Amino acid sequence: MSTPEPSHGLSTAAEARLLRAAVESGLEAMVVVSPDGRMVSFNHQFVLLWPIPSDVVASGSDDAALRSVLDKVVDPDGFLERVRACYADPTHPARDELLLRDGRVFDRYGTPLRDPGGEYLGWAWYFRDVTAERRAAQEALEAGERFAALARTLQESLLPPHLPDVPGLEVAARYLPAGQGVDVVGDFYDVFQTGESTWAVVIGDVCGKGVEAAKVTALARYTIRAAAIGDQAPTRVLQLLNDAMLRQHPDSERFVTVTFLSLAQRQGVVRGVLCAAGHPPALLRRADGRIERVGTNGMILGSFEDPTLDDTPFDLLPGDTLVLYTDGVLEARAADNPELYGEERLTALVAGLGGRSAAAVAQAVEGDVVAFSGACASDDTAVLVVRVPEDVHAAATWPRG
């Protein structure tokens, strides 16, 4: 009985020529090695990729071909060991990368060849020069690292390198950038002296990230510093910031939320005046454990000409701790859990931190947020803590106003 012709009308010889042409025109270098170690088939790309001597090619010996290229690879022993292992156990495909001494990188893929009945026919190797791809990936990685370093440097320039020593008070801050810290983001804080017996404490959050957010952050921080000199009321300071934002970035969609706190020693008590412009309320933990929310939630800055802003006066006594924070704290959540960290959780945490220093409180808040979110912060987080120590009397350390 004669073998039927294929339905497409091609003879066996024509099919073989067609298959050979397809192999030759491929982008990958290919060589097929028989079970007895003979190179039974290879394409032109293989000859170009591996400049094997013509006499070795003519011999058809796979072993001779392998040895002829050992001086070209960085790890000749590993190169041979992988080949021998594949030939000894031709059951699974293998893939790796070869580093050549001339700087090239080859992607190597090998697979056993079997007929429909499962009989082992030989081993096929495929090689592709991926040098350009790997260099591009490395350049992208290095560029990303440079950008991340630049972003960190710019971010650090928008935050004080260290907080000043404020007589009679403890101040501490913690900052946690979102993601991998490769973007400049808008959280900022500051503590600075505004007069002989007055200090300012600021925390804020600019909408968005990147260069535009950095520009607004810089404008906010330095405008507040300039406006606060001379013991201006917090509402006045933030109104001046709002005016500056509208004047310098009239078409920008960026806005900022800020809490500005003025502190002064008056008759032996640290008196504070706080104004919150669209910012979460501060939490005040009294020495006896009571928690008070300080400040009314005024309007954001940079969007309206006359935002509604209110000053909230209060006193800080020995043992009292004031916690200011950005919304990255409240909105923290784990990647697989929609539940937010929230104000209730933060309030309960702060209530249990009695007797701790400002630095310990700030660190505890950051640590609890990180633990809750699984270190998967989608927004940057800043915490700023002001505390009056139990054993330090403000009247003895601040000049009288």
Side-chain angles (χ1 to χ4, degrees), residues 92-369:
H92 301 288
R95 188 163 198 167
D96 61 355
E97 284 191 350
L98 302 176
L99 303 181
L100 277 68
R101 295 184 184 276
D102 61 8
R104 290 182 297 166
V105 181
F106 291 171
D107 176 34
R108 176 173 65 173
Y109 173 74
T111 185
L113 301 178
R114 300 183 182 278
D115 66 13
E119 181 182 355
Y120 177 60
L121 303 178
W123 189 275
W125 290 109
Y126 300 88
F127 303 91
R128 188 164 59 94
D129 189 339
V130 294
T131 308
E133 296 175 23
R134 296 299 177 267
R135 285 176 179 170
Q138 182 62 30
E139 290 173 359
L141 176 63
E142 292 174 356
E145 290 174 347
R146 289 194 298 271
F147 180 81
L150 179 61
R152 288 192 296 270
T153 300
L154 181 54
Q155 187 74 64
E156 290 168 359
S157 72
L158 301 174
L159 299 172
H162 56 81
L163 296 180
D165 293 327
V166 181
L169 290 179
E170 296 175 2
V171 292
R174 302 289 291 185
Y175 172 75
L176 183 67
Q180 303 300 314
V182 297
D183 286 311
V184 183
V185 285
D187 281 18
F188 65 96
Y189 57 84
D190 204 359
V191 177
F192 57 95
Q193 191 166 10
T194 57
E196 183 181 2
S197 60
T198 57
W199 289 77
V201 177
V202 187
I203 191 167
D205 185 1
V206 174
C207 169
K209 59 185 179 181
V211 175
E212 288 302 315
K215 289 165 60 177
V216 176
T217 301
L219 172 65
R221 183 181 175 199
Y222 296 114
T223 298
I224 288 173
R225 274 187 166 253
I229 299 302
D231 196 19
Q232 297 265 23
T235 50
R236 177 59 180 163
V237 172
L238 296 189
Q239 179 64 59
L240 290 173
L241 171 58
N242 187 72
D243 295 344
M245 291 180 66
L246 292 177
R247 182 172 60 253
Q248 296 194 33
H249 301 282
D251 299 322
S252 175
E253 296 182 356
R254 305 283 178 185
F255 62 86
V256 62
T257 69
V258 186
T259 289
F260 181 90
L261 168 64
S262 176
L263 295 174
Q265 184 274 332
R266 295 288 187 271
Q267 298 178 347
V269 176
V270 178
R271 301 191 182 278
V273 181
L274 182 147
C275 181
H279 206 75
L283 295 182
L284 174 56
R285 186 194 186 282
R286 294 297 186 182
D288 60 6
R290 290 178 297 118
I291 297 290
E292 300 175 11
R293 297 167 85 251
V294 181
T296 57
N297 192 10
M299 297 174 65
I300 61 175
L301 305 180
S303 297
F304 310 98
E305 290 188 2
D306 295 303
T308 300
L309 301 170
D310 295 304
D311 286 332
T312 301
F314 64 101
D315 292 339
L316 284 174
L317 303 175
D320 289 349
T321 301
L322 186 70
V323 180
L324 302 97
Y325 52 93
T326 57
D327 61 6
V329 172
L330 303 183
E331 296 173 3
R333 66 179 183 86
D336 58 351
N337 188 347
E339 181 184 2
L340 301 180
Y341 185 83
E343 185 179 345
E344 183 178 348
R345 193 182 307 272
L346 177 62
T347 300
L349 174 68
V350 173
L353 297 177
R356 299 201 190 186
S357 67
V361 171
Q363 187 170 5
V365 173
E366 181 192 53
D368 200 53
V369 170

Side-chain angles (χ1 to χ4, degrees), residues 38-39 42 52-61:
R38 308 290 299 174
M39 294 188 297
F42 54 85
I52 301 172
S54 58
D55 60 326
V56 174
V57 174
S59 74
S61 169

Side-chain angles (χ1 to χ4, degrees), residues 70-93:
L70 288 181
D71 62 339
K72 297 179 174 61
V73 296
V74 172
D75 180 16
D77 292 337
F79 172 78
L80 271 181
E81 181 181 350
R82 188 65 181 273
V83 173
R84 301 302 186 215
C86 291
Y87 290 169
D89 183 23
T91 54
H92 301 288

